[in-house]
Amino acid sequence: METFLSSIFATAVKIREFNDFSNLSRLLIDKYRYTLVELVELNEAKFLSITPLYDLPTIPTLAKQMKTIQKAKGLPVVYHPKNLTPSKMKGLLKHQIPFIVDMKQVYLPFLGAYLQAVAEREVNDSDVLSLPAQLLAMMYLYASENSLYIKQAVKFLPYSAMSITRAVRELEAMDLFYVSKQKQSNILHSQLSKRELFDELVDRLASPIWKKGYINNEDITQAMVLAGEDALAEKSMLANILPVKYAIYRKNFDESLLKRDLIDSKKQSELQLWLYEPLLFSQSNIPDPISIILSLKNVHDERVEQAVEMLMDEVWEGQHGTWIKKF
């Protein structure tokens, strides 16, 4: 960080461990590593840098904790993670949370620094995971342990052993996963926590929606499950908005029956044709949380974003109970 900030502000930078934890809760003390940063030639240019030691906090939680630390110590507080996904950086900027990623980005509005030093490479179509690799990654994220036996994936996912083997190689090539061998079994691992891994993967995961249109309400069948905002509303305080949204596996519905135009939101519903079974990972009557979130990728609504943040916080804390199938 010293070299990075020195090059930006053209001044010497002093960094030292910060150990004055008075008026801070044990939770905040144990959650971050604290350093005091001083820009030598700029008067009163000091701030606290906090680096998460374990799981990455959600943005609302981070904002609240940084505000508490700033009030207790009387210094600006800057978030200093090892890396940031484009979506996470967008969220921090939206909430005006100061951050530094060494040799990449710095956002210090209290010092007038709005520089992105190294542009993150945009994720293009070739970077998006194949569907077998995506479902394998999702299965790993839902696994109760920080490992997944490949033979479990072959048994559970709707693909051949050869397709799963290719999916494993695809995940290994990202340098986020690795495979170990135990006797005759191959096991998928990651050195990242589930929350960190999801943040790294989310821009490479595609929406499950293959196509969507509208159907008359009398044509809704039991094979169709609530989707989109309506599924999210089942697990949050989000209000439902017409038309109601449903999902079905695309192979179980004749796409020619979809109507292109919405005529009456009270008499019609939106039907999403998904690339995989909407309840593949869910043992509830709505899709799993990651699938719901991916289906909402192109929905830019602050209410939805807040509900998603709260939902994923519960998922990483293991509060989803019996929602997810056991592998």
CSV table of all heavy atoms in Angstrom, one decimal, residues 258-311:
chain,number,residue,atom,x,y,z
A,258,LEU,N,-45.6,-19.3,-25.7
A,258,LEU,CA,-45.3,-18.0,-25.0
A,258,LEU,C,-45.9,-16.8,-25.8
A,258,LEU,O,-45.7,-16.8,-27.0
A,258,LEU,CB,-43.8,-17.8,-24.7
A,258,LEU,CG,-43.1,-18.5,-23.6
A,258,LEU,CD1,-41.6,-18.2,-23.6
A,258,LEU,CD2,-43.7,-18.2,-22.3
A,259,LYS,N,-46.5,-15.9,-25.1
A,259,LYS,CA,-47.0,-14.7,-25.7
A,259,LYS,C,-45.9,-13.6,-25.5
A,259,LYS,O,-45.4,-13.4,-24.5
A,259,LYS,CB,-48.3,-14.2,-25.2
A,259,LYS,CG,-49.4,-15.2,-25.4
A,259,LYS,CD,-50.7,-14.8,-24.8
A,259,LYS,CE,-51.9,-15.7,-25.1
A,259,LYS,NZ,-51.7,-17.0,-24.6
A,260,ARG,N,-45.6,-12.8,-26.6
A,260,ARG,CA,-44.6,-11.8,-26.6
A,260,ARG,C,-45.0,-10.6,-25.7
A,260,ARG,O,-44.2,-10.0,-25.1
A,260,ARG,CB,-44.2,-11.4,-28.0
A,260,ARG,CG,-43.1,-10.3,-28.0
A,260,ARG,CD,-42.9,-9.9,-29.5
A,260,ARG,NE,-42.5,-11.0,-30.3
A,260,ARG,CZ,-42.2,-10.9,-31.6
A,260,ARG,NH1,-42.4,-9.8,-32.2
A,260,ARG,NH2,-41.9,-12.0,-32.3
A,261,ASP,N,-46.3,-10.3,-25.8
A,261,ASP,CA,-46.8,-9.0,-25.2
A,261,ASP,C,-47.6,-9.3,-24.0
A,261,ASP,O,-48.4,-10.2,-23.9
A,261,ASP,CB,-47.6,-8.2,-26.2
A,261,ASP,CG,-46.9,-7.8,-27.5
A,261,ASP,OD1,-45.7,-7.4,-27.3
A,261,ASP,OD2,-47.4,-8.0,-28.6
A,262,LEU,N,-47.5,-8.3,-23.0
A,262,LEU,CA,-48.3,-8.4,-21.8
A,262,LEU,C,-49.5,-7.5,-22.0
A,262,LEU,O,-49.4,-6.3,-22.2
A,262,LEU,CB,-47.5,-7.8,-20.6
A,262,LEU,CG,-48.2,-7.7,-19.3
A,262,LEU,CD1,-48.6,-9.1,-18.8
A,262,LEU,CD2,-47.3,-7.0,-18.2
A,263,ILE,N,-50.7,-8.1,-22.0
A,263,ILE,CA,-51.9,-7.3,-22.3
A,263,ILE,C,-52.6,-6.9,-20.9
A,263,ILE,O,-53.0,-5.8,-20.8
A,263,ILE,CB,-52.9,-8.2,-23.1
A,263,ILE,CG1,-52.2,-8.7,-24.4
A,263,ILE,CG2,-54.1,-7.4,-23.4
A,263,ILE,CD1,-51.7,-7.6,-25.3
A,264,ASP,N,-52.6,-7.8,-20.0
A,264,ASP,CA,-53.3,-7.6,-18.7
A,264,ASP,C,-52.5,-8.2,-17.6
A,264,ASP,O,-52.5,-9.5,-17.5
A,264,ASP,CB,-54.7,-8.1,-18.7
A,264,ASP,CG,-55.6,-7.7,-17.5
A,264,ASP,OD1,-54.9,-7.4,-16.5
A,264,ASP,OD2,-56.8,-7.6,-17.7
A,265,SER,N,-51.8,-7.4,-16.8
A,265,SER,CA,-51.0,-8.0,-15.7
A,265,SER,C,-51.8,-8.8,-14.6
A,265,SER,O,-51.2,-9.5,-13.9
A,265,SER,CB,-50.2,-6.9,-15.0
A,265,SER,OG,-51.0,-6.0,-14.4
A,266,LYS,N,-53.1,-8.6,-14.6
A,266,LYS,CA,-53.9,-9.3,-13.6
A,266,LYS,C,-54.3,-10.7,-14.2
A,266,LYS,O,-54.6,-11.6,-13.4
A,266,LYS,CB,-55.1,-8.5,-13.2
A,266,LYS,CG,-54.8,-7.2,-12.4
A,266,LYS,CD,-56.0,-6.5,-12.0
A,266,LYS,CE,-55.7,-5.2,-11.2
A,266,LYS,NZ,-56.9,-4.4,-10.8
A,267,LYS,N,-54.4,-10.8,-15.5
A,267,LYS,CA,-54.8,-12.0,-16.1
A,267,LYS,C,-53.7,-12.8,-16.7
A,267,LYS,O,-53.9,-13.9,-17.2
A,267,LYS,CB,-55.9,-11.7,-17.2
A,267,LYS,CG,-57.2,-11.1,-16.6
A,267,LYS,CD,-58.2,-10.8,-17.7
A,267,LYS,CE,-59.5,-10.3,-17.2
A,267,LYS,NZ,-60.5,-10.0,-18.2
A,268,GLN,N,-52.5,-12.2,-16.7
A,268,GLN,CA,-51.3,-12.9,-17.3
A,268,GLN,C,-50.2,-13.0,-16.3
A,268,GLN,O,-50.1,-12.2,-15.4
A,268,GLN,CB,-50.8,-12.2,-18.6
A,268,GLN,CG,-51.8,-12.3,-19.8
A,268,GLN,CD,-51.2,-11.5,-20.9
A,268,GLN,OE1,-51.2,-10.2,-20.9
A,268,GLN,NE2,-50.8,-12.1,-21.9
A,269,SER,N,-49.3,-13.9,-16.5
A,269,SER,CA,-48.1,-14.0,-15.7
A,269,SER,C,-46.9,-14.1,-16.6
A,269,SER,O,-47.0,-14.6,-17.8
A,269,SER,CB,-48.2,-15.3,-14.8
A,269,SER,OG,-49.2,-15.1,-13.8
A,270,GLU,N,-45.7,-13.7,-16.1
A,270,GLU,CA,-44.5,-13.9,-16.8
A,270,GLU,C,-44.0,-15.3,-16.6
A,270,GLU,O,-44.0,-15.8,-15.5
A,270,GLU,CB,-43.4,-12.9,-16.4
A,270,GLU,CG,-42.1,-13.0,-17.1
A,270,GLU,CD,-41.0,-12.1,-16.5
A,270,GLU,OE1,-41.2,-10.9,-16.6
A,270,GLU,OE2,-40.0,-12.6,-16.0
A,271,LEU,N,-43.6,-16.0,-17.7
A,271,LEU,CA,-43.0,-17.3,-17.6
A,271,LEU,C,-41.6,-17.3,-18.1
A,271,LEU,O,-41.4,-16.9,-19.3
A,271,LEU,CB,-43.9,-18.3,-18.4
A,271,LEU,CG,-43.4,-19.8,-18.2
A,271,LEU,CD1,-43.4,-20.3,-16.8
A,271,LEU,CD2,-44.2,-20.7,-19.1
A,272,GLN,N,-40.7,-17.7,-17.3
A,272,GLN,CA,-39.3,-17.8,-17.6
A,272,GLN,C,-38.9,-19.2,-18.0
A,272,GLN,O,-39.2,-20.1,-17.1
A,272,GLN,CB,-38.4,-17.3,-16.5
A,272,GLN,CG,-38.7,-15.9,-16.0
A,272,GLN,CD,-38.0,-15.5,-14.7
A,272,GLN,OE1,-37.3,-16.3,-14.1
A,272,GLN,NE2,-38.1,-14.3,-14.3
A,273,LEU,N,-38.3,-19.5,-19.1
A,273,LEU,CA,-37.9,-20.8,-19.5
A,273,LEU,C,-36.4,-20.9,-19.1
A,273,LEU,O,-35.6,-20.1,-19.6
A,273,LEU,CB,-38.0,-21.0,-21.0
A,273,LEU,CG,-39.4,-20.8,-21.6
A,273,LEU,CD1,-39.5,-21.2,-23.0
A,273,LEU,CD2,-40.5,-21.6,-20.7
A,274,TRP,N,-36.1,-21.8,-18.1
A,274,TRP,CA,-34.8,-21.9,-17.6
A,274,TRP,C,-33.9,-22.9,-18.3
A,274,TRP,O,-34.4,-23.9,-18.8
A,274,TRP,CB,-34.9,-22.2,-16.1
A,274,TRP,CG,-35.1,-21.0,-15.2
A,274,TRP,CD1,-35.8,-19.8,-15.6
A,274,TRP,CD2,-34.7,-20.8,-13.9
A,274,TRP,NE1,-35.8,-18.9,-14.5
A,274,TRP,CE2,-35.2,-19.5,-13.5
A,274,TRP,CE3,-34.1,-21.6,-12.9
A,274,TRP,CZ2,-35.0,-19.0,-12.2
A,274,TRP,CZ3,-33.9,-21.1,-11.6
A,274,TRP,CH2,-34.3,-19.8,-11.3
A,275,LEU,N,-32.6,-22.7,-18.2
A,275,LEU,CA,-31.6,-23.7,-18.8
A,275,LEU,C,-31.5,-25.0,-18.0
A,275,LEU,O,-30.9,-25.9,-18.5
A,275,LEU,CB,-30.3,-23.0,-18.9
A,275,LEU,CG,-30.2,-21.8,-19.8
A,275,LEU,CD1,-28.9,-21.0,-19.6
A,275,LEU,CD2,-30.2,-22.3,-21.3
A,276,TYR,N,-32.0,-25.0,-16.8
A,276,TYR,CA,-31.9,-26.2,-15.9
A,276,TYR,C,-33.2,-26.2,-15.0
A,276,TYR,O,-33.9,-25.2,-15.0
A,276,TYR,CB,-30.7,-26.2,-15.1
A,276,TYR,CG,-30.3,-25.0,-14.2
A,276,TYR,CD1,-30.8,-24.9,-12.9
A,276,TYR,CD2,-29.6,-24.0,-14.7
A,276,TYR,CE1,-30.5,-23.8,-12.2
A,276,TYR,CE2,-29.3,-22.9,-14.0
A,276,TYR,CZ,-29.8,-22.8,-12.7
A,276,TYR,OH,-29.5,-21.7,-11.9
A,277,GLU,N,-33.4,-27.3,-14.4
A,277,GLU,CA,-34.6,-27.4,-13.5
A,277,GLU,C,-34.5,-26.3,-12.4
A,277,GLU,O,-33.5,-26.3,-11.7
A,277,GLU,CB,-34.6,-28.8,-12.9
A,277,GLU,CG,-35.0,-29.9,-13.8
A,277,GLU,CD,-36.5,-30.0,-14.1
A,277,GLU,OE1,-37.2,-29.1,-13.6
A,277,GLU,OE2,-36.9,-30.8,-14.9
A,278,PRO,N,-35.5,-25.5,-12.3
A,278,PRO,CA,-35.5,-24.4,-11.3
A,278,PRO,C,-35.3,-25.0,-9.8
A,278,PRO,O,-34.7,-24.2,-9.0
A,278,PRO,CB,-36.8,-23.7,-11.4
A,278,PRO,CG,-37.2,-24.0,-12.9
A,278,PRO,CD,-36.7,-25.4,-13.2
A,279,LEU,N,-35.8,-26.2,-9.6
A,279,LEU,CA,-35.6,-26.7,-8.2
A,279,LEU,C,-34.5,-27.7,-8.1
A,279,LEU,O,-34.5,-28.6,-7.2
A,279,LEU,CB,-36.9,-27.4,-7.8
A,279,LEU,CG,-38.2,-26.5,-7.8
A,279,LEU,CD1,-39.4,-27.2,-7.2
A,279,LEU,CD2,-37.9,-25.2,-6.9
A,280,LEU,N,-33.5,-27.6,-9.0
A,280,LEU,CA,-32.4,-28.6,-9.0
A,280,LEU,C,-31.7,-28.6,-7.7
A,280,LEU,O,-31.4,-29.7,-7.2
A,280,LEU,CB,-31.3,-28.2,-10.1
A,280,LEU,CG,-30.1,-29.0,-10.2
A,280,LEU,CD1,-30.4,-30.4,-10.5
A,280,LEU,CD2,-29.1,-28.4,-11.2
A,281,PHE,N,-31.4,-27.5,-7.1
A,281,PHE,CA,-30.7,-27.4,-5.8
A,281,PHE,C,-31.7,-27.2,-4.6
A,281,PHE,O,-31.2,-27.2,-3.5
A,281,PHE,CB,-29.7,-26.3,-5.8
A,281,PHE,CG,-28.6,-26.5,-6.8
A,281,PHE,CD1,-28.5,-25.8,-7.9
A,281,PHE,CD2,-27.6,-27.4,-6.5
A,281,PHE,CE1,-27.5,-25.9,-8.8
A,281,PHE,CE2,-26.5,-27.6,-7.4
A,281,PHE,CZ,-26.5,-26.9,-8.6
A,282,SER,N,-33.0,-27.0,-4.9
A,282,SER,CA,-33.9,-26.6,-3.8
A,282,SER,C,-34.8,-27.7,-3.5
A,282,SER,O,-35.3,-28.4,-4.3
A,282,SER,CB,-34.7,-25.4,-4.3
A,282,SER,OG,-35.7,-25.0,-3.4
A,283,GLN,N,-35.1,-27.8,-2.2
A,283,GLN,CA,-36.1,-28.7,-1.7
A,283,GLN,C,-37.3,-28.0,-1.2
A,283,GLN,O,-38.2,-28.5,-0.5
A,283,GLN,CB,-35.6,-29.7,-0.7
A,283,GLN,CG,-34.9,-29.2,0.5
A,283,GLN,CD,-34.3,-30.2,1.4
A,283,GLN,OE1,-34.2,-31.4,1.0
A,283,GLN,NE2,-33.9,-29.9,2.5
A,284,SER,N,-37.4,-26.7,-1.5
A,284,SER,CA,-38.5,-25.8,-1.2
A,284,SER,C,-39.4,-25.7,-2.5
A,284,SER,O,-39.1,-26.4,-3.4
A,284,SER,CB,-38.0,-24.4,-0.7
A,284,SER,OG,-39.1,-23.6,-0.4
A,285,ASN,N,-40.3,-24.8,-2.4
A,285,ASN,CA,-41.2,-24.6,-3.6
A,285,ASN,C,-40.8,-23.4,-4.5
A,285,ASN,O,-41.5,-23.0,-5.3
A,285,ASN,CB,-42.7,-24.4,-3.1
A,285,ASN,CG,-42.8,-23.2,-2.2
A,285,ASN,OD1,-41.8,-22.6,-1.8
A,285,ASN,ND2,-44.1,-22.9,-1.9
A,286,ILE,N,-39.6,-22.9,-4.2
A,286,ILE,CA,-39.0,-21.8,-5.0
A,286,ILE,C,-37.5,-22.2,-5.3
A,286,ILE,O,-36.9,-23.1,-4.6
A,286,ILE,CB,-39.0,-20.5,-4.3
A,286,ILE,CG1,-38.3,-20.5,-3.0
A,286,ILE,CG2,-40.4,-20.0,-4.1
A,286,ILE,CD1,-38.1,-19.2,-2.3
A,287,PRO,N,-36.9,-21.6,-6.3
A,287,PRO,CA,-35.5,-22.0,-6.7
A,287,PRO,C,-34.6,-21.6,-5.5
A,287,PRO,O,-34.9,-20.9,-4.6
A,287,PRO,CB,-35.3,-21.1,-7.9
A,287,PRO,CG,-36.6,-20.9,-8.5
A,287,PRO,CD,-37.5,-20.7,-7.3
A,288,ASP,N,-33.4,-22.2,-5.7
A,288,ASP,CA,-32.3,-21.9,-4.7
A,288,ASP,C,-31.9,-20.4,-4.7
A,288,ASP,O,-32.1,-19.7,-5.8
A,288,ASP,CB,-31.1,-22.8,-4.9
A,288,ASP,CG,-30.5,-22.5,-6.3
A,288,ASP,OD1,-31.0,-23.0,-7.3
A,288,ASP,OD2,-29.5,-21.7,-6.3
A,289,PRO,N,-31.3,-19.9,-3.7
A,289,PRO,CA,-31.0,-18.4,-3.6
A,289,PRO,C,-30.0,-17.9,-4.7
A,289,PRO,O,-30.2,-16.9,-5.3
A,289,PRO,CB,-30.4,-18.2,-2.2
A,289,PRO,CG,-30.0,-19.6,-1.7
A,289,PRO,CD,-31.0,-20.5,-2.4
A,290,ILE,N,-29.0,-18.7,-5.1
A,290,ILE,CA,-28.1,-18.2,-6.1
A,290,ILE,C,-28.7,-18.2,-7.4
A,290,ILE,O,-28.6,-17.2,-8.2
A,290,ILE,CB,-26.8,-19.2,-6.1
A,290,ILE,CG1,-26.0,-19.0,-4.9
A,290,ILE,CG2,-25.9,-18.8,-7.4
A,290,ILE,CD1,-24.8,-19.9,-4.8
A,291,SER,N,-29.6,-19.2,-7.8
A,291,SER,CA,-30.3,-19.1,-9.0
A,291,SER,C,-31.3,-17.9,-9.1
A,291,SER,O,-31.4,-17.3,-10.1
A,291,SER,CB,-31.1,-20.4,-9.2
A,291,SER,OG,-30.3,-21.5,-9.4
A,292,ILE,N,-31.9,-17.6,-8.0
A,292,ILE,CA,-32.8,-16.5,-7.9
A,292,ILE,C,-32.0,-15.2,-8.2
A,292,ILE,O,-32.4,-14.4,-9.0
A,292,ILE,CB,-33.5,-16.4,-6.6
A,292,ILE,CG1,-34.5,-17.5,-6.4
A,292,ILE,CG2,-34.2,-15.0,-6.4
A,292,ILE,CD1,-35.1,-17.6,-5.0
A,293,ILE,N,-30.9,-15.1,-7.6
A,293,ILE,CA,-30.0,-13.9,-7.7
A,293,ILE,C,-29.5,-13.7,-9.1
A,293,ILE,O,-29.5,-12.7,-9.7
A,293,ILE,CB,-28.9,-13.9,-6.7
A,293,ILE,CG1,-29.4,-13.7,-5.3
A,293,ILE,CG2,-27.8,-12.9,-7.0
A,293,ILE,CD1,-28.4,-14.0,-4.2
A,294,LEU,N,-29.1,-14.9,-9.7
A,294,LEU,CA,-28.6,-14.8,-11.1
A,294,LEU,C,-29.7,-14.4,-12.1
A,294,LEU,O,-29.5,-13.8,-13.1
A,294,LEU,CB,-28.0,-16.2,-11.5
A,294,LEU,CG,-26.7,-16.5,-10.7
A,294,LEU,CD1,-26.2,-17.9,-11.2
A,294,LEU,CD2,-25.6,-15.5,-10.9
A,295,SER,N,-30.9,-14.9,-11.8
A,295,SER,CA,-32.0,-14.5,-12.7
A,295,SER,C,-32.4,-13.1,-12.6
A,295,SER,O,-33.1,-12.5,-13.4
A,295,SER,CB,-33.3,-15.4,-12.3
A,295,SER,OG,-33.9,-15.0,-11.1
A,296,LEU,N,-31.9,-12.4,-11.5
A,296,LEU,CA,-32.2,-11.0,-11.3
A,296,LEU,C,-31.1,-10.1,-11.7
A,296,LEU,O,-31.0,-8.9,-11.4
A,296,LEU,CB,-32.6,-10.7,-9.9
A,296,LEU,CG,-33.9,-11.3,-9.4
A,296,LEU,CD1,-34.0,-11.3,-7.9
A,296,LEU,CD2,-35.1,-10.6,-10.0
A,297,LYS,N,-30.1,-10.6,-12.4
A,297,LYS,CA,-28.8,-9.9,-12.7
A,297,LYS,C,-29.1,-8.6,-13.4
A,297,LYS,O,-28.4,-7.6,-13.2
A,297,LYS,CB,-27.9,-10.7,-13.5
A,297,LYS,CG,-26.8,-11.4,-12.8
A,297,LYS,CD,-25.8,-12.0,-13.7
A,297,LYS,CE,-24.5,-12.4,-13.0
A,297,LYS,NZ,-23.5,-12.9,-13.9
A,298,ASN,N,-30.1,-8.6,-14.3
A,298,ASN,CA,-30.4,-7.4,-15.1
A,298,ASN,C,-31.5,-6.5,-14.5
A,298,ASN,O,-32.0,-5.6,-15.2
A,298,ASN,CB,-30.7,-7.8,-16.5
A,298,ASN,CG,-29.6,-8.5,-17.2
A,298,ASN,OD1,-28.4,-8.1,-17.1
A,298,ASN,ND2,-29.9,-9.6,-18.0
A,299,VAL,N,-31.8,-6.8,-13.3
A,299,VAL,CA,-32.9,-6.0,-12.6
A,299,VAL,C,-32.2,-4.9,-11.8
A,299,VAL,O,-31.5,-5.3,-10.8
A,299,VAL,CB,-33.8,-6.8,-11.7
A,299,VAL,CG1,-34.8,-6.0,-11.0
A,299,VAL,CG2,-34.5,-7.8,-12.6
A,300,HIS,N,-32.3,-3.7,-12.1
A,300,HIS,CA,-31.6,-2.6,-11.4
A,300,HIS,C,-32.6,-1.9,-10.5
A,300,HIS,O,-33.2,-0.9,-10.9
A,300,HIS,CB,-30.9,-1.7,-12.3
A,300,HIS,CG,-29.9,-2.4,-13.2
A,300,HIS,ND1,-28.7,-3.0,-12.8
A,300,HIS,CD2,-29.9,-2.7,-14.6
A,300,HIS,CE1,-28.1,-3.6,-13.8
A,300,HIS,NE2,-28.8,-3.4,-14.9
A,301,ASP,N,-32.8,-2.4,-9.3
A,301,ASP,CA,-33.8,-1.8,-8.4
A,301,ASP,C,-33.2,-1.9,-7.0
A,301,ASP,O,-32.8,-3.0,-6.6
A,301,ASP,CB,-35.1,-2.7,-8.5
A,301,ASP,CG,-36.2,-2.1,-7.6
A,301,ASP,OD1,-35.9,-1.7,-6.5
A,301,ASP,OD2,-37.4,-2.2,-8.1
A,302,GLU,N,-33.1,-0.8,-6.3
A,302,GLU,CA,-32.5,-0.7,-5.0
A,302,GLU,C,-33.2,-1.6,-4.0
A,302,GLU,O,-32.5,-2.3,-3.2
A,302,GLU,CB,-32.5,0.7,-4.5
A,302,GLU,CG,-31.7,0.9,-3.2
A,302,GLU,CD,-31.5,2.3,-2.8
A,302,GLU,OE1,-31.9,3.2,-3.7
A,302,GLU,OE2,-31.1,2.6,-1.7
A,303,ARG,N,-34.5,-1.8,-4.1
A,303,ARG,CA,-35.2,-2.7,-3.2
A,303,ARG,C,-34.8,-4.1,-3.4
A,303,ARG,O,-34.6,-4.9,-2.5
A,303,ARG,CB,-36.7,-2.6,-3.5
A,303,ARG,CG,-37.4,-1.2,-3.3
A,303,ARG,CD,-38.8,-1.3,-3.7
A,303,ARG,NE,-39.0,-1.8,-5.0
A,303,ARG,CZ,-39.5,-3.0,-5.3
A,303,ARG,NH1,-40.0,-3.8,-4.3
A,303,ARG,NH2,-39.7,-3.5,-6.5
A,304,VAL,N,-34.6,-4.5,-4.7
A,304,VAL,CA,-34.2,-5.9,-5.0
A,304,VAL,C,-32.7,-6.1,-4.5
A,304,VAL,O,-32.4,-7.1,-3.9
A,304,VAL,CB,-34.3,-6.1,-6.5
A,304,VAL,CG1,-33.7,-7.5,-6.9
A,304,VAL,CG2,-35.8,-6.1,-6.9
A,305,GLU,N,-31.9,-5.1,-4.8
A,305,GLU,CA,-30.5,-5.2,-4.4
A,305,GLU,C,-30.3,-5.4,-2.8
A,305,GLU,O,-29.5,-6.2,-2.4
A,305,GLU,CB,-29.7,-4.0,-4.8
A,305,GLU,CG,-29.5,-3.9,-6.3
A,305,GLU,CD,-28.9,-2.6,-6.8
A,305,GLU,OE1,-28.6,-1.7,-6.0
A,305,GLU,OE2,-28.7,-2.5,-8.0
A,306,GLN,N,-31.1,-4.6,-2.1
A,306,GLN,CA,-31.1,-4.8,-0.6
A,306,GLN,C,-31.6,-6.1,-0.2
A,306,GLN,O,-31.0,-6.7,0.7
A,306,GLN,CB,-31.9,-3.6,0.0
A,306,GLN,CG,-31.3,-2.3,-0.1
A,306,GLN,CD,-32.2,-1.2,0.4
A,306,GLN,OE1,-33.4,-1.4,0.7
A,306,GLN,NE2,-31.7,0.0,0.6
A,307,ALA,N,-32.7,-6.6,-0.8
A,307,ALA,CA,-33.2,-7.9,-0.4
A,307,ALA,C,-32.2,-9.0,-0.8
A,307,ALA,O,-32.0,-10.0,0.0
A,307,ALA,CB,-34.5,-8.2,-1.2
A,308,VAL,N,-31.5,-8.9,-1.9
A,308,VAL,CA,-30.5,-9.8,-2.3
A,308,VAL,C,-29.3,-9.9,-1.3
A,308,VAL,O,-28.8,-10.9,-0.9
A,308,VAL,CB,-29.9,-9.5,-3.7
A,308,VAL,CG1,-28.6,-10.2,-4.0
A,308,VAL,CG2,-31.0,-9.9,-4.8
A,309,GLU,N,-28.9,-8.7,-0.9
A,309,GLU,CA,-27.8,-8.6,0.1
A,309,GLU,C,-28.2,-9.3,1.4
A,309,GLU,O,-27.4,-10.1,2.0
A,309,GLU,CB,-27.5,-7.1,0.4
A,309,GLU,CG,-26.7,-6.4,-0.7
A,309,GLU,CD,-25.2,-6.6,-0.6
A,309,GLU,OE1,-24.8,-7.4,0.2
A,309,GLU,OE2,-24.6,-6.1,-1.5
A,310,MET,N,-29.4,-9.1,1.9
A,310,MET,CA,-29.8,-9.7,3.1
A,310,MET,C,-30.0,-11.2,2.9
A,310,MET,O,-29.6,-12.0,3.8
A,310,MET,CB,-31.2,-9.1,3.5
A,310,MET,CG,-31.1,-7.7,4.0
A,310,MET,SD,-32.7,-7.0,4.4
A,310,MET,CE,-33.2,-8.0,5.8
A,311,LEU,N,-30.5,-11.7,1.8
A,311,LEU,CA,-30.6,-13.1,1.5
A,311,LEU,C,-29.3,-13.8,1.5
A,311,LEU,O,-29.1,-14.8,2.2
A,311,LEU,CB,-31.4,-13.3,0.2
A,311,LEU,CG,-31.5,-14.7,-0.3
A,311,LEU,CD1,-32.3,-15.5,0.7
A,311,LEU,CD2,-32.1,-14.8,-1.7
